[in-house]
Amino acid sequence: DVVDMDAHLGMLIGRAHEKVSRESAEEEAKKGMCATYSMVAIIGNQAHWAHVGDSRVYLHRDGMLMRVTDDHTLPGALLSSGVITNDEAREHHLRNHLLDCVGCKRCGVETGGFDVVDEDIIMVCSDGLHDYVPEEDIQKILSGDAEIAGKADALIDLALAAGGHDNVSVSLCHAVADPEDSANIIWLPG
């Protein structure tokens, strides 16, 4: 069966939203609980992503780092509309105030996709990384010669050294063309 991957990923986040909202309403200890959620599914040479909140998906290709998702925060909305710069958004006093998230009143899931080519690196990370490490520094580490796991470790170490006290989560996938079949890409998790 052909699956609409964007709809499927959106549905998965929707289910998580329903569960978190229900538990938050029913259990006093979980009142106000919410979460961000970003995910990527790779099928062949296509990456499909779904996202809500302020975790991010990035694509690193040919030495360049490209942000795929937008933060669902007030500074994220101001950045998207060109009112503030990336640096201003990173330092904004409301950078952690979520407009959309799993468990919030609004859970506006965004989905999309892009082609994947040999040597791409796809990164999913929490605000514990991108709030403390400028994108230029992330790009330098991902462009370096270290193995993929070493790059993830270096990013986490950099965020912690910069004062990261929030959760620091980084997942990296490195696309490597299969020499036996140039139409397929093998994913090596970091």
Side-chain angles (χ1 to χ4, degrees):
D1 291 336
V2 175
V3 174
D4 178 346
M5 190 53 68
D6 290 351
H8 183 70
L9 295 177
M11 180 266 312
L12 292 174
I13 293 178
R15 283 186 183 169
H17 173 67
E18 290 169 8
K19 181 174 176 141
V20 168
S21 296
R22 184 176 54 255
E23 288 185 16
S24 179
E26 293 172 357
E27 298 179 40
E28 187 62 33
K30 295 181 179 179
K31 188 174 178 124
M33 177 175 64
C34 62
T36 68
Y37 206 131
S38 296
M39 70 171 92
V40 178
I42 314 308
I43 300 172
N45 65 346
Q46 295 291 307
H48 302 271
W49 57 268
H51 159 76
V52 64
D54 64 353
S55 293
R56 293 183 184 165
V57 176
Y58 285 91
L59 171 63
H60 182 269
R61 177 179 289 161
D62 297 327
M64 299 299 299
L65 184 68
M66 297 162 272
R67 188 185 314 172
V68 175
T69 57
D70 293 322
D71 294 349
H72 295 152
T73 61
L74 178 60
L78 294 172
L79 177 64
S80 293
S81 63
V83 174
I84 63 175
T85 67
N86 207 15
D87 287 337
E88 291 169 326
R90 204 166 58 96
E91 298 296 325
H92 199 282
H93 68 283
L94 294 175
R95 71 183 175 271
N96 298 112
H97 181 79
L98 298 171
L99 301 176
D100 286 282
C101 67
V102 172
C104 292
K105 288 182 182 178
R106 287 184 3 186
C107 183
V109 178
E110 290 184 273
T111 61
F114 53 89
D115 291 336
V116 178
V117 299
D118 189 36
E119 296 301 322
D120 278 354
I121 297 174
I122 297 173
M123 178 174 76
V124 179
C125 68
S126 68
D127 60 343
L129 177 69
H130 65 73
D131 274 358
Y132 294 94
V133 181
E135 290 180 348
E136 299 81 30
D137 294 341
I138 295 171
Q139 179 175 308
K140 286 177 191 171
I141 289 172
L142 294 181
S143 296
D145 293 332
E147 294 292 323
I148 197 76
K151 291 177 183 187
D153 290 342
L155 289 168
I156 291 169
D157 290 346
L158 195 56
L160 293 174
H165 57 277
D166 196 0
N167 70 41
V168 181
S169 301
V170 176
S171 294
L172 299 176
C173 286
H174 183 199
V176 180
D178 181 349
E180 301 294 317
D181 183 356
S182 61
N184 287 328
I185 290 180
I186 299 170
W187 286 92
L188 305 174

